[in-house]
Amino acid sequence: MTAILDKPDAPTSMPRRSSSHTGWFLVAPAMSLTTLFVIVPGALALVGSFFAIDITSGVEWTWIGLDNYTALFADSAVRQSLLNTVLYCAMTIVPSLVIGFWLAVLAHSVTRGRRLVQTLLFLPFTANLVAMAVVFRWIFSLNGGFANEMLALLGVAPLNFLGDSTYALPTVAAVGVWRGAALAMILFLSGLTSIPTSVDEACAADGITGLTRLRKVVLPLLKPITIFVTVMIVLQSVQVFDTINVMTGGGPLGATETALTMTWRLGFAYYDLGQAAALSTILLLVLIAIGLLRRRSLSGGTQ
């Protein structure tokens, strides 16, 4: 009797081991690419940040400890790039979230032509960012730009959007909002479509409509997706590079230089790989901290 009862247990262990092996096999390509392009470069940047790396005659690493970090914070251009990054985030994160949320509400509430509306709102996120940066550089150019042509129709003198330090950072931040709002809209829309129809029916039965329904029912249900969207927009803003590199090149006079563009400049323009590695390590630590805060927020502060 015991032998008979034990028989069903024998074959069940094989599928479990097979399933485990299949899982590792499926994630192996992603893990390999992540290790090659994320973990290894991050480790090299961390190690390289403690060395002076000379590439003029071969590659020579000289241990200098924390001197690269000290030099970074003593450099006014680097401090300005960090401040610009904070200002850029301040100008893009909240507007992207607000605009993206209301666009998602609009796309979700439309009954006729919903697919067309959603597709049009989705297009900014699918567009090639470098190509769009070229388009926006033309739009905001001083001579013949679309924005200044529209201002001329209103009788306003042309503005040097990209060449004046007063307007340059807000201008590239506006492009960041255009991009970030599209990403936020997509994610918020997925959250709205996941709300069960029974919730809408219950709200209608209780007479909860409009902004009251949005504030007391929808937003609490969207809390996890809101945290996720916020983190994604923050990561996108902190890592801004393409639009600034194409539209302004970090100018004028460093007015649009950010942490990532300064890292590129230190490494590939000034050939100071040690300081570039130190700045990229600081940026990496900030991104890790953001990820940990997201995990803590989603777990209710228990981790």
Side-chain angles (χ1 to χ4, degrees):
M1 179 65 70
T2 303
I4 295 175
L5 292 175
D6 289 340
K7 285 184 179 179
D9 293 337
T12 57
S13 60
M14 293 299 294
R16 289 178 182 175
R17 286 196 295 269
S18 177
S19 176
S20 176
H21 294 158
T22 302
W24 282 109
F25 177 77
L26 292 175
V27 302
M31 291 178 62
S32 302
L33 293 175
T34 301
T35 301
L36 183 61
F37 293 107
V38 178
I39 297 177
V40 172
L44 287 175
L46 176 60
V47 174
S49 66
F50 300 105
F51 289 84
I53 306 174
D54 184 8
I55 60 173
T56 56
S57 56
V59 179
E60 182 179 349
W61 291 45
T62 304
W63 173 265
I64 58 173
L66 297 176
D67 287 357
N68 282 325
Y69 294 93
T70 304
L72 282 179
F73 290 105
D75 190 336
S76 59
V78 174
R79 294 199 304 269
Q80 182 63 43
S81 70
L82 296 175
L83 176 61
N84 289 341
T85 304
V86 174
L87 293 175
Y88 181 89
C89 290
M91 287 187 282
T92 56
I93 294 172
V94 174
S96 296
L97 291 172
V98 174
I99 296 173
F101 176 75
W102 285 109
L103 288 177
V105 172
L106 172 65
H108 185 65
S109 61
V110 170
T111 54
R112 298 183 60 182
R114 174 180 293 184
R115 294 297 182 186
L116 177 61
V117 172
Q118 292 179 358
T119 301
L120 293 175
L121 295 176
F122 180 73
L123 285 178
F125 186 72
T126 62
N128 182 279
L129 197 53
V130 174
M132 294 310 303
V134 174
V135 173
F136 278 111
R137 186 175 62 184
W138 165 76
I139 290 174
F140 292 112
S141 62
L142 178 61
N143 299 316
F146 178 78
N148 279 317
E149 291 293 333
M150 293 297 100
L151 291 177
L153 294 177
L154 300 175
V156 179
L159 299 177
N160 194 0
F161 288 101
L162 301 177
D164 190 322
S165 57
T166 304
Y167 306 112
L169 189 60
T171 300
V172 295
V175 178
V177 172
W178 171 82
R179 175 79 169 183
L183 173 61
M185 186 277 298
I186 297 168
L187 298 175
F188 276 127
L189 184 60
S190 66
L192 290 172
T193 54
S194 66
I195 296 177
T197 56
S198 58
V199 173
D200 295 330
E201 295 170 357
C203 289
D206 294 337
I208 303 175
T209 58
L211 292 177
T212 303
R213 170 183 172 273
L214 196 64
R215 180 170 57 89
K216 294 187 175 182
V217 179
V218 175
L219 287 178
L221 291 175
L222 290 180
K223 181 181 177 180
I225 194 68
T226 301
I227 295 173
F228 178 75
V229 175
T230 302
V231 172
M232 294 300 295
I233 297 299
V234 171
L235 294 176
Q236 180 175 280
S237 297
V238 171
Q239 298 179 92
V240 60
F241 177 81
D242 294 349
T243 52
I244 290 179
N245 196 46
V246 173
M247 293 178 66
T248 65
L253 300 176
T256 58
E257 197 82 76
T258 61
L260 206 56
T261 60
M262 177 56 74
T263 301
W264 176 89
R265 194 172 307 283
L266 287 172
F268 296 98
Y270 304 150
Y271 298 104
D272 194 336
L273 299 184
Q275 288 193 24
L279 188 54
S280 65
T281 299
I282 293 173
L283 184 61
L284 179 62
L285 293 176
V286 171
L287 298 179
I288 291 174
I290 293 172
L292 293 177
L293 288 175
R294 168 185 171 270
R295 181 179 178 183
R296 184 175 179 84
S297 299
L298 291 176
S299 63
T302 59
Q303 296 183 4

